[in-house]
Amino acid sequence: MKPGPTLAALVAGLAIASSPLAAADETPAYAGQNTDLMHLDNGLVVDGRDIETPDGYTSGFRLIAGFNPLRLPRLDLGAEFSYRESDEVPTRLGDQQMLLNTVSLGGSLVAGVRLGHLGLYAKSGLVGWEGDPVMPGQDVARSGTTRVQGLGARLQFDRLVSRLEFEEFDAPDMAHLNLVTASLHFPF
C-alpha cells in the first residue's frame, strides 16, 4: 500500500520541523515566552507565571525549574511548584450546595521534547489541598491529596509563540482547578 499525499506531506513537514536547521531556539518545551526565562550559570532554567482561571474564582502562581541533559539536547526535564487559592467556589457535597474556599499546594515532574519549532510536554505530580465552607454552621472542612496531570504544546516561529495546555486534578472536589489554556504571544 502506497502512502497518500497527505501522509507524505505530514511526514515531510515533521522531518523539516525537527531538523537542526529549523530549530527555533533553546527555549524549553514547557516554557512561556523566552523573555520570561531566567538562565542560571549552572544550566538551570527558571520560568514563573501567574495563574488566573477564566471564571475568576482561582488565582495563584507556578514556578518551573528545569534543565537540558547534555547528551540529549532536545529533551527538557524539570520540576514545577504551584500554589492556587480559590474563593467562594460553588460546589455540591451530596445533595447540599455550598460555597467553598480552597488552597492547594503542589509539585509535578515535567518532561518535554523539542522538534524544531514544536515543543511537546507532559507533567504528573501530587497536590495537597484544603477546603473550608464559607457559610458558618457548615462543619464540612475537607482536605486531601490528589494526583495532577497535564499535557501541553508550544509552537514558535521567530517572535510568535503559541501555547496550548491541559491540566487535570484527579479529585471531584478540585474539579474547579482543571484548566485548558491557550495563548498567543507576539512581542513588538
Side-chain angles (χ1 to χ4, degrees), residues 22-106:
D25 60 38
E26 299 303 315
T27 304
Y30 52 79
Q33 299 179 46
N34 192 22
T35 57
D36 294 340
L37 298 178
M38 183 172 38
H39 297 271
L40 303 180
D41 292 338
N42 63 359
L44 197 64
V45 177
V46 180
D47 181 22
R49 61 187 99 119
D50 292 331
I51 299 171
E52 184 85 28
T53 57
D55 58 14
Y57 292 125
T58 303
S59 62
F61 67 90
R62 70 173 61 162
L63 182 67
I64 302 173
F67 69 99
N68 306 95
L70 292 176
R71 293 200 168 121
L72 301 168
R74 294 181 185 272
L75 181 66
D76 301 311
L77 300 175
E80 177 183 279
F81 171 77
S82 63
Y83 172 82
R84 293 175 175 89
E85 187 174 328
S86 302
D87 292 324
E88 299 185 1
V89 176
T91 188
R92 187 180 229 17
L93 182 61
D95 61 346
Q96 184 181 8
Q97 289 187 348
M98 65 175 56
L99 297 176
L100 196 65
N101 292 335
T102 61
V103 173
S104 68
L105 194 59

Coordinates of all heavy atoms in Angstrom, one line a residue, residues 22-106:
A22 N 16.0 24.0 11.4 CA 14.7 24.6 11.6 C 14.5 24.9 13.1 O 13.4 25.4 13.4 CB 13.6 23.8 11.1
A23 N 15.4 24.6 13.9 CA 15.2 24.7 15.4 C 14.9 26.2 15.7 O 15.7 27.1 15.3 CB 16.4 24.2 16.2
A24 N 13.9 26.4 16.5 CA 13.5 27.8 16.9 C 14.6 28.4 17.8 O 15.1 29.5 17.5 CB 12.1 27.8 17.5
D25 N 14.9 27.8 18.9 CA 15.9 28.2 19.8 C 16.0 27.2 20.9 O 15.5 26.1 20.8 CB 15.7 29.6 20.4 CG 14.4 29.8 21.1 OD1 14.0 28.8 21.8 OD2 13.7 30.8 21.0
E26 N 16.7 27.5 22.0 CA 16.9 26.6 23.1 C 15.9 26.8 24.2 O 16.1 26.3 25.3 CB 18.3 26.7 23.6 CG 19.4 26.4 22.6 CD 19.2 25.0 22.0 OE1 19.0 24.0 22.7 OE2 19.3 24.9 20.7
T27 N 14.7 27.4 23.9 CA 13.7 27.6 24.9 C 13.0 26.2 25.2 O 12.7 25.5 24.3 CB 12.6 28.5 24.4 OG1 13.3 29.8 24.0 CG2 11.6 28.8 25.4
P28 N 12.9 25.9 26.5 CA 12.3 24.6 26.8 C 10.9 24.4 26.3 O 10.2 25.4 26.1 CB 12.3 24.6 28.4 CG 13.3 25.6 28.7 CD 13.4 26.6 27.6
A29 N 10.5 23.2 26.1 CA 9.1 22.9 25.5 C 8.0 23.4 26.4 O 7.0 23.9 25.9 CB 9.0 21.4 25.3
Y30 N 8.2 23.4 27.7 CA 7.2 23.8 28.7 C 7.2 25.3 29.0 O 6.3 25.8 29.7 CB 7.3 23.0 30.0 CG 8.7 23.1 30.5 CD1 9.2 24.2 31.2 CD2 9.6 22.1 30.3 CE1 10.5 24.3 31.7 CE2 10.9 22.1 30.8 CZ 11.3 23.2 31.5 OH 12.6 23.3 32.0
A31 N 8.1 26.1 28.5 CA 8.2 27.5 28.8 C 7.2 28.4 28.1 O 6.7 28.0 27.1 CB 9.6 28.0 28.5
G32 N 7.0 29.5 28.7 CA 6.1 30.5 28.1 C 7.0 31.3 27.1 O 7.5 30.7 26.2
Q33 N 7.1 32.6 27.3 CA 7.9 33.4 26.4 C 9.4 33.3 26.8 O 9.7 33.2 28.0 CB 7.5 34.9 26.5 CG 6.0 35.1 26.1 CD 5.7 36.5 26.2 OE1 6.4 37.4 25.8 NE2 4.5 36.8 26.8
N34 N 10.3 33.4 25.9 CA 11.7 33.3 26.2 C 12.2 34.5 27.0 O 13.1 34.3 27.8 CB 12.5 33.3 24.8 CG 13.9 32.9 25.1 OD1 14.3 32.3 26.1 ND2 14.8 33.2 24.1
T35 N 11.5 35.6 26.9 CA 11.9 36.8 27.7 C 11.6 36.6 29.2 O 12.2 37.3 30.0 CB 11.2 38.1 27.2 OG1 9.8 37.8 27.2 CG2 11.7 38.4 25.7
D36 N 10.7 35.7 29.5 CA 10.3 35.5 30.9 C 11.3 34.5 31.6 O 11.1 34.3 32.8 CB 8.9 35.0 31.0 CG 7.9 36.0 30.5 OD1 8.2 37.2 30.5 OD2 6.8 35.6 30.2
L37 N 12.2 33.9 30.9 CA 13.1 32.9 31.5 C 14.3 33.5 32.2 O 14.8 34.5 31.7 CB 13.5 31.9 30.4 CG 12.5 31.1 29.7 CD1 13.1 30.3 28.6 CD2 11.7 30.2 30.6
M38 N 14.7 32.8 33.2 CA 15.9 33.2 33.9 C 16.9 32.0 33.7 O 16.6 30.9 34.1 CB 15.7 33.4 35.4 CG 16.9 33.9 36.1 SD 16.7 34.4 37.8 CE 15.5 33.3 38.5
H39 N 18.1 32.3 33.0 CA 19.1 31.3 32.8 C 20.2 31.4 33.8 O 20.8 32.5 33.9 CB 19.7 31.4 31.4 CG 18.6 31.2 30.3 ND1 18.4 30.0 29.8 CD2 17.8 32.1 29.7 CE1 17.5 30.1 28.8 NE2 17.1 31.3 28.8
L40 N 20.4 30.4 34.6 CA 21.5 30.4 35.6 C 22.8 29.9 35.1 O 22.8 29.2 34.1 CB 21.0 29.6 36.9 CG 19.7 30.1 37.5 CD1 19.4 29.2 38.7 CD2 19.8 31.5 37.9
D41 N 23.9 30.2 35.7 CA 25.2 29.8 35.2 C 25.4 28.3 35.2 O 26.1 27.8 34.4 CB 26.3 30.5 36.0 CG 26.4 32.0 35.8 OD1 25.9 32.4 34.8 OD2 26.9 32.7 36.7
N42 N 24.7 27.6 36.1 CA 24.9 26.1 36.1 C 24.0 25.4 35.1 O 23.9 24.2 35.2 CB 24.6 25.6 37.5 CG 23.1 25.9 38.0 OD1 22.3 26.5 37.2 ND2 22.8 25.5 39.2
G43 N 23.3 26.1 34.2 CA 22.5 25.5 33.2 C 21.0 25.4 33.6 O 20.2 24.9 32.7
L44 N 20.6 25.7 34.8 CA 19.2 25.7 35.2 C 18.4 26.8 34.6 O 18.9 27.9 34.5 CB 19.2 25.8 36.7 CG 17.9 25.3 37.4 CD1 17.7 23.9 37.2 CD2 18.0 25.7 38.9
V45 N 17.3 26.5 34.1 CA 16.3 27.5 33.5 C 15.1 27.6 34.4 O 14.5 26.6 34.8 CB 15.9 27.0 32.1 CG1 14.9 28.0 31.5 CG2 17.1 26.9 31.2
V46 N 14.8 28.8 34.8 CA 13.7 29.0 35.7 C 12.6 29.9 35.0 O 12.9 30.9 34.4 CB 14.1 29.8 37.0 CG1 13.0 30.0 37.9 CG2 15.2 29.0 37.7
D47 N 11.3 29.4 35.1 CA 10.2 30.1 34.5 C 9.1 30.2 35.5 O 8.8 29.2 36.2 CB 9.7 29.2 33.3 CG 8.5 29.9 32.6 OD1 8.3 31.1 32.7 OD2 7.8 29.1 31.9
G48 N 8.6 31.4 35.7 CA 7.5 31.6 36.6 C 6.3 32.3 35.9 O 6.6 33.2 35.1
R49 N 5.1 32.0 36.3 CA 4.0 32.7 35.8 C 2.8 32.7 36.7 O 2.7 31.8 37.6 CB 3.6 32.2 34.4 CG 3.2 30.8 34.3 CD 3.0 30.4 32.8 NE 4.2 29.7 32.4 CZ 4.3 28.5 32.0 NH1 3.1 27.8 31.9 NH2 5.4 27.9 31.6
D50 N 1.9 33.7 36.6 CA 0.7 33.7 37.4 C -0.3 32.8 36.8 O -0.3 32.5 35.6 CB 0.1 35.2 37.3 CG 1.0 36.1 38.1 OD1 1.7 35.7 39.0 OD2 1.0 37.3 37.7
I51 N -1.2 32.4 37.7 CA -2.4 31.5 37.3 C -3.6 32.3 37.6 O -3.8 32.8 38.7 CB -2.4 30.2 38.1 CG1 -1.1 29.4 37.8 CG2 -3.6 29.4 37.7 CD1 -1.0 28.2 38.7
E52 N -4.5 32.4 36.6 CA -5.8 33.0 36.8 C -6.8 32.3 36.0 O -6.7 32.1 34.8 CB -5.7 34.5 36.3 CG -7.0 35.3 36.6 CD -7.0 35.9 38.0 OE1 -6.0 36.1 38.5 OE2 -8.1 36.1 38.4
T53 N -7.9 31.7 36.6 CA -8.9 31.0 35.9 C -9.9 32.0 35.2 O -10.1 33.1 35.7 CB -9.7 30.0 36.8 OG1 -10.2 30.7 37.9 CG2 -8.7 28.9 37.3
P54 N -10.4 31.6 34.1 CA -11.4 32.5 33.4 C -12.6 32.9 34.2 O -13.1 33.9 34.0 CB -11.8 31.7 32.1 CG -10.7 30.7 32.0 CD -10.2 30.4 33.3
D55 N -13.0 31.9 35.1 CA -14.2 32.3 35.9 C -13.9 33.2 37.1 O -14.8 33.7 37.8 CB -14.9 31.0 36.4 CG -13.9 30.1 37.3 OD1 -12.9 30.6 37.7 OD2 -14.3 29.0 37.5
G56 N -12.6 33.5 37.3 CA -12.3 34.5 38.4 C -12.2 33.9 39.8 O -11.9 34.6 40.7
Y57 N -12.5 32.6 40.0 CA -12.5 32.0 41.3 C -11.1 31.8 41.8 O -10.9 31.8 43.0 CB -13.3 30.7 41.3 CG -14.8 30.9 41.1 CD1 -15.4 30.2 40.1 CD2 -15.5 31.7 42.0 CE1 -16.8 30.3 40.0 CE2 -16.9 31.8 41.8 CZ -17.5 31.1 40.8 OH -18.9 31.3 40.6
T58 N -10.2 31.5 40.9 CA -8.9 30.9 41.4 C -7.7 31.8 40.9 O -7.8 32.3 39.7 CB -8.7 29.5 40.8 OG1 -9.8 28.7 41.3 CG2 -7.4 28.9 41.3
S59 N -6.8 32.0 41.7 CA -5.6 32.7 41.3 C -4.4 32.0 42.0 O -4.6 31.3 43.0 CB -5.6 34.2 41.7 OG -5.7 34.4 43.1
G60 N -3.2 32.3 41.6 CA -2.0 31.7 42.2 C -0.8 31.9 41.3 O -0.8 32.8 40.4
F61 N 0.2 31.0 41.4 CA 1.4 31.1 40.6 C 2.0 29.7 40.4 O 1.6 28.8 41.2 CB 2.4 32.0 41.2 CG 3.0 31.5 42.5 CD1 4.1 30.8 42.5 CD2 2.4 31.9 43.7 CE1 4.6 30.3 43.7 CE2 2.9 31.4 44.9 CZ 4.0 30.6 44.9
R62 N 2.8 29.6 39.5 CA 3.6 28.3 39.3 C 5.0 28.7 38.9 O 5.3 29.8 38.3 CB 3.0 27.4 38.2 CG 3.1 27.9 36.8 CD 2.6 26.9 35.8 NE 1.2 26.6 36.0 CZ 0.5 26.0 35.1 NH1 0.9 25.7 33.9 NH2 -0.8 25.8 35.4
L63 N 6.0 27.9 39.4 CA 7.4 28.1 39.2 C 8.0 26.8 38.7 O 7.8 25.8 39.3 CB 8.0 28.5 40.5 CG 9.5 28.8 40.5 CD1 9.7 30.1 39.7 CD2 10.0 29.0 41.9
I64 N 8.6 26.9 37.5 CA 9.2 25.7 36.9 C 10.7 25.9 36.9 O 11.2 26.9 36.3 CB 8.7 25.4 35.5 CG1 7.2 25.2 35.6 CG2 9.3 24.1 34.9 CD1 6.5 25.1 34.2
A65 N 11.5 24.9 37.3 CA 12.9 24.9 37.2 C 13.3 23.7 36.4 O 12.9 22.6 36.7 CB 13.6 24.9 38.6
G66 N 14.1 23.8 35.4 CA 14.4 22.7 34.5 C 15.8 22.8 33.9 O 16.5 23.8 34.1
F67 N 16.2 21.8 33.2 CA 17.5 21.7 32.5 C 17.4 20.8 31.3 O 16.4 20.1 31.1 CB 18.6 21.3 33.5 CG 18.5 19.8 33.9 CD1 19.2 18.8 33.2 CD2 17.6 19.4 34.8 CE1 19.1 17.5 33.5 CE2 17.4 18.1 35.2 CZ 18.2 17.1 34.5
N68 N 18.4 20.9 30.5 CA 18.6 20.0 29.3 C 19.7 19.1 29.5 O 20.8 19.6 29.7 CB 18.8 20.8 28.0 CG 17.8 21.9 27.8 OD1 18.0 23.0 28.2 ND2 16.7 21.5 27.3
P69 N 19.5 17.8 29.5 CA 20.7 16.8 29.6 C 21.7 17.1 28.5 O 21.3 17.3 27.4 CB 20.0 15.5 29.5 CG 18.6 15.7 29.8 CD 18.2 17.1 29.4
L70 N 22.9 17.0 28.8 CA 24.0 17.3 27.8 C 23.9 16.4 26.6 O 24.1 16.8 25.5 CB 25.4 17.2 28.5 CG 25.7 18.2 29.6 CD1 27.0 18.0 30.2 CD2 25.6 19.6 29.0
R71 N 23.7 15.1 26.8 CA 23.7 14.2 25.6 C 22.4 14.1 24.9 O 22.3 13.5 23.9 CB 24.1 12.8 26.1 CG 25.5 12.8 26.6 CD 26.0 11.4 26.7 NE 27.5 11.4 26.9 CZ 28.1 10.9 27.9 NH1 27.4 10.2 28.8 NH2 29.4 10.9 28.0
L72 N 21.4 14.8 25.4 CA 20.0 14.8 24.8 C 19.6 16.2 24.7 O 18.7 16.7 25.4 CB 19.1 13.9 25.6 CG 19.4 12.5 25.8 CD1 18.5 11.8 26.8 CD2 19.3 11.7 24.5
P73 N 20.1 17.0 23.8 CA 19.8 18.4 23.7 C 18.4 18.8 23.4 O 18.0 20.0 23.7 CB 20.8 18.9 22.6 CG 21.0 17.8 21.8 CD 21.0 16.6 22.7
R74 N 17.6 17.9 22.9 CA 16.2 18.3 22.6 C 15.2 17.9 23.7 O 14.0 18.1 23.6 CB 15.8 17.6 21.3 CG 16.5 18.1 20.1 CD 16.0 17.4 18.8 NE 16.8 17.8 17.7 CZ 16.6 18.9 17.0 NH1 15.5 19.7 17.3 NH2 17.3 19.2 16.0
L75 N 15.7 17.3 24.7 CA 14.9 16.8 25.9 C 15.0 17.9 27.0 O 16.0 18.4 27.3 CB 15.5 15.5 26.4 CG 14.7 14.9 27.6 CD1 13.3 14.5 27.1 CD2 15.4 13.7 28.1
D76 N 13.8 18.2 27.5 CA 13.7 19.2 28.6 C 13.1 18.5 29.8 O 12.1 17.9 29.8 CB 12.8 20.3 28.2 CG 13.3 21.0 27.0 OD1 14.5 21.4 27.0 OD2 12.5 21.3 26.1
L77 N 13.8 18.5 31.0 CA 13.3 17.9 32.2 C 13.2 19.1 33.3 O 14.0 20.0 33.3 CB 14.3 16.9 32.7 CG 14.6 15.7 31.8 CD1 15.7 14.8 32.3 CD2 13.3 14.9 31.5
G78 N 12.2 18.9 34.1 CA 12.0 20.0 35.1 C 11.1 19.6 36.2 O 10.5 18.5 36.2
A79 N 10.9 20.5 37.2 CA 10.0 20.3 38.3 C 9.2 21.6 38.5 O 9.7 22.7 38.3 CB 10.8 20.0 39.6
E80 N 7.9 21.4 38.7 CA 7.0 22.5 38.8 C 6.5 22.6 40.3 O 6.1 21.6 40.8 CB 5.8 22.4 37.9 CG 4.8 23.4 38.0 CD 3.6 23.2 37.1 OE1 3.7 23.6 35.9 OE2 2.6 22.7 37.5
F81 N 6.4 23.8 40.8 CA 5.8 24.0 42.1 C 4.7 25.0 41.8 O 4.8 26.0 41.1 CB 6.9 24.7 43.0 CG 6.3 25.2 44.3 CD1 6.0 24.3 45.3 CD2 6.0 26.5 44.5 CE1 5.4 24.8 46.5 CE2 5.5 27.0 45.7 CZ 5.2 26.1 46.7
S82 N 3.5 24.7 42.4 CA 2.3 25.6 42.1 C 1.6 25.8 43.4 O 1.5 25.0 44.3 CB 1.4 25.0 41.1 OG 0.9 23.7 41.6
Y83 N 1.0 27.0 43.5 CA 0.1 27.4 44.6 C -1.1 28.1 44.0 O -1.0 28.9 43.1 CB 0.9 28.5 45.5 CG 0.0 29.1 46.5 CD1 -0.3 28.5 47.7 CD2 -0.7 30.3 46.3 CE1 -1.1 29.0 48.7 CE2 -1.5 30.9 47.2 CZ -1.7 30.3 48.4 OH -2.5 30.8 49.3
R84 N -2.3 27.6 44.5 CA -3.6 28.1 44.0 C -4.5 28.4 45.2 O -4.5 27.6 46.1 CB -4.2 27.1 43.1 CG -3.5 26.9 41.8 CD -4.2 25.8 41.0 NE -3.6 25.7 39.7 CZ -2.6 24.9 39.4 NH1 -2.1 24.1 40.4 NH2 -2.2 24.7 38.2
E85 N -5.2 29.5 45.1 CA -6.2 29.9 46.1 C -7.5 30.2 45.4 O -7.5 31.0 44.5 CB -5.7 31.1 46.9 CG -6.5 31.5 48.0 CD -5.9 32.6 48.9 OE1 -4.6 32.6 48.9 OE2 -6.6 33.3 49.4
S86 N -8.6 29.6 45.8 CA -9.9 29.8 45.3 C -10.8 30.3 46.3 O -10.8 29.8 47.4 CB -10.4 28.4 44.7 OG -9.6 27.9 43.8
D87 N -11.6 31.3 45.9 CA -12.6 31.9 46.8 C -14.0 31.7 46.4 O -14.3 32.0 45.2 CB -12.3 33.5 46.9 CG -11.0 33.8 47.6 OD1 -10.6 33.0 48.5 OD2 -10.3 34.7 47.1
E88 N -14.8 31.2 47.3 CA -16.2 31.1 47.2 C -16.6 30.3 45.9 O -17.4 30.8 45.1 CB -16.9 32.4 47.2 CG -16.7 33.1 48.6 CD -17.5 34.4 48.7 OE1 -18.2 34.8 47.8 OE2 -17.4 35.0 49.8
V89 N -16.0 29.1 45.7 CA -16.3 28.3 44.6 C -17.6 27.5 44.8 O -17.7 26.9 45.9 CB -15.2 27.3 44.4 CG1 -15.5 26.3 43.2 CG2 -13.9 28.0 44.1
P90 N -18.6 27.7 44.0 CA -19.8 26.9 44.1 C -19.6 25.4 43.9 O -19.0 25.0 42.9 CB -20.8 27.5 43.1 CG -20.0 28.3 42.2 CD -18.6 28.5 42.8
T91 N -20.0 24.6 44.8 CA -19.8 23.1 44.7 C -20.9 22.4 45.4 O -21.8 23.0 45.9 CB -18.4 22.7 45.3 OG1 -18.2 21.3 45.0 CG2 -18.4 22.9 46.8
R92 N -20.9 21.1 45.3 CA -22.0 20.3 45.8 C -21.4 19.2 46.6 O -20.5 18.5 46.2 CB -22.8 19.8 44.6 CG -24.1 19.0 45.0 CD -24.7 18.6 43.7 NE -26.1 18.8 43.4 CZ -27.0 19.6 43.9 NH1 -26.6 20.4 44.9 NH2 -28.2 19.7 43.5
L93 N -21.9 19.0 47.8 CA -21.5 17.8 48.6 C -22.7 17.0 48.9 O -23.6 17.5 49.7 CB -20.8 18.3 49.9 CG -20.3 17.2 50.8 CD1 -19.2 16.4 50.1 CD2 -19.7 17.8 52.1
G94 N -22.9 15.9 48.3 CA -24.1 15.1 48.4 C -25.2 15.9 47.8 O -25.1 16.2 46.6
D95 N -26.3 16.2 48.5 CA -27.4 16.9 48.0 C -27.4 18.4 48.4 O -28.3 19.1 48.2 CB -28.7 16.3 48.3 CG -28.9 16.2 49.8 OD1 -28.0 16.4 50.6 OD2 -30.1 16.0 50.2
Q96 N -26.3 18.8 49.1 CA -26.2 20.1 49.7 C -25.3 21.0 48.8 O -24.1 20.6 48.5 CB -25.6 20.0 51.1 CG -25.6 21.4 51.8 CD -25.0 21.2 53.2 OE1 -24.5 20.1 53.6 NE2 -25.0 22.3 54.0
Q97 N -25.8 22.2 48.4 CA -24.9 23.1 47.7 C -24.2 24.0 48.7 O -24.8 24.4 49.7 CB -25.8 24.0 46.7 CG -26.3 23.2 45.5 CD -27.0 24.2 44.6 OE1 -27.2 25.3 44.9 NE2 -27.2 23.7 43.4
M98 N -23.0 24.4 48.4 CA -22.2 25.2 49.3 C -21.2 26.0 48.5 O -20.9 25.7 47.4 CB -21.6 24.4 50.4 CG -20.5 23.5 49.9 SD -19.6 22.6 51.2 CE -20.9 21.9 52.1
L99 N -20.7 27.0 49.2 CA -19.5 27.8 48.7 C -18.3 27.4 49.5 O -18.4 27.2 50.7 CB -19.8 29.3 48.8 CG -20.9 29.9 48.1 CD1 -21.1 31.4 48.4 CD2 -20.7 29.7 46.6
L100 N -17.2 27.1 48.8 CA -16.0 26.6 49.4 C -14.8 27.4 49.0 O -14.6 27.8 47.9 CB -15.8 25.2 48.9 CG -14.9 24.2 49.6 CD1 -15.4 24.0 51.0 CD2 -14.8 22.9 48.9
N101 N -14.0 27.8 50.0 CA -12.7 28.4 49.8 C -11.6 27.3 49.9 O -11.6 26.5 50.8 CB -12.4 29.4 50.9 CG -13.3 30.6 50.9 OD1 -13.8 31.0 49.8 ND2 -13.4 31.3 52.0
T102 N -10.8 27.2 48.9 CA -9.7 26.2 48.8 C -8.4 26.8 48.6 O -8.2 27.8 48.0 CB -10.0 25.2 47.7 OG1 -10.0 25.8 46.5 CG2 -11.3 24.4 47.9
V103 N -7.4 26.1 49.2 CA -6.0 26.4 49.0 C -5.3 25.1 48.6 O -5.5 24.1 49.2 CB -5.3 27.0 50.3 CG1 -3.8 27.1 50.1 CG2 -6.0 28.3 50.7
S104 N -4.5 25.2 47.5 CA -3.7 24.0 47.1 C -2.3 24.3 46.9 O -1.9 25.4 46.5 CB -4.4 23.4 45.8 OG -4.2 24.2 44.7
L105 N -1.4 23.3 47.2 CA 0.0 23.4 47.0 C 0.5 22.1 46.4 O 0.1 21.0 46.9 CB 0.6 23.6 48.4 CG 2.0 24.0 48.5 CD1 2.3 25.3 47.9 CD2 2.4 24.0 50.0
G106 N 1.2 22.2 45.2 CA 1.5 21.0 44.5 C 2.9 21.0 43.9 O 3.5 22.1 43.8

